[in-house]
Amino acid sequence: MTELSSHYQQILVGLGEDPEREGLLDTPKRAAKAMQYLCKGYGERLEDIVNGALFASTNDEMVIVQDIELYSLCEHHLLPFIGKAHVAYIPTGKVLGLSKVARIVDMYARRLQIQENLTRQIAEAIQEVTRAAGVAVVIEAQHMCMKMRGVEKQNSVMNTSVMLGTFRESCTTRMEFLQLIGRSH
């Protein structure tokens, strides 16, 4: 049994459960495997994700990939938060392969996180890779630590944004992005 599985077995005992009962026999192994998958972003590197998928382009207009679903774990309670990211950048000679934007979101989401840091990490990674004139990221997510415990607010949604470069400097550019993703209100 791996060390992580052993810890899950101890958690079951600590909760007052019998890890030897039929329904829980393989739970420590399954939970360990699930946690490793949910946190696989720790084993990924930006360079490997991008894998050279930058392409020459004369486009200097906004590129937006929106509604990228994301699944992460709150670093405070180890409970999921689930939502979507909207990512935009203004190219300066190169564009990033479309799937790479979603993979970058996943790489950072698949780590223990707070949403505020996740938003910044995605924006800074896109900026680093593309050398864009500006990058904007908005994430909207629902947090199980708000829904399942504590205040138990079922309809709460957290929105975070990070604006870099032109998106930070130009109100017009920022508003265009927010209008295009339908978040201007």
Side-chain angles (χ1 to χ4, degrees):
M1 184 182 305
T2 68
E3 184 178 355
L4 194 52
S5 295
S6 172
H7 291 301
Y8 276 109
Q9 185 162 358
Q10 291 173 0
I11 289 170
L12 291 173
V13 170
L15 292 172
E17 265 293 355
D18 174 10
E20 299 302 317
R21 79 173 169 85
E22 182 182 4
L24 294 177
L25 279 175
D26 291 327
T27 297
K29 284 185 263 183
R30 284 192 302 263
K33 188 175 180 181
M35 186 60 79
Q36 288 169 330
Y37 179 80
L38 294 173
C39 294
K40 70 180 183 167
Y42 289 117
E44 297 177 327
R45 295 176 342 123
L46 185 58
E47 301 79 31
D48 297 333
I49 295 289
V50 173
N51 196 26
L54 281 170
F55 306 101
S57 175
T58 58
N59 179 42
D60 62 357
E61 296 292 329
M62 194 180 303
V63 174
I64 302 174
V65 184
Q66 69 184 72
D67 296 329
I68 303 166
E69 67 269 8
L70 65 88
Y71 307 92
S72 194
L73 291 174
C74 161
E75 67 184 34
H76 300 139
H77 303 100
L78 300 183
L79 290 173
F81 65 93
I82 300 163
K84 53 189 169 182
H86 313 290
V87 178
Y89 67 98
I90 299 175
T92 56
K94 295 204 181 261
V95 292
L96 182 60
L98 178 60
S99 71
K100 303 306 181 180
V101 176
R103 290 180 192 279
I104 289 169
V105 170
D106 283 346
M107 179 181 75
Y108 289 107
R110 295 297 186 168
R111 299 175 183 187
L112 302 180
Q113 281 288 9
I114 62 171
Q115 185 175 327
E116 298 90 336
N117 291 348
L118 174 59
T119 309
R120 178 153 301 279
Q121 289 166 348
I122 294 166
E124 289 175 350
I126 297 290
Q127 177 66 48
E128 177 185 333
V129 167
T130 63
R131 303 287 184 228
V135 174
V137 176
V138 169
I139 295 179
E140 51 189 281
Q142 294 185 322
H143 293 249
M144 294 307 116
C145 58
M146 285 277 290
K147 294 170 86 95
M148 296 175 66
R149 55 159 302 283
V151 296
E152 295 185 22
K153 298 301 176 205
Q154 301 309 306
N155 298 308
S156 62
V157 176
M158 182 177 185
N159 289 283
T160 51
S161 69
V162 171
M163 307 288 167
L164 304 176
T166 306
F167 288 96
R168 186 172 192 88
E169 297 155 6
S170 168
C171 185
T172 304
T173 304
R174 182 171 47 255
M175 289 310 298
E176 178 184 353
F177 166 65
L178 293 173
Q179 287 173 347
L180 286 169
I181 65 167
R183 306 297 181 267
S184 61
H185 43 4

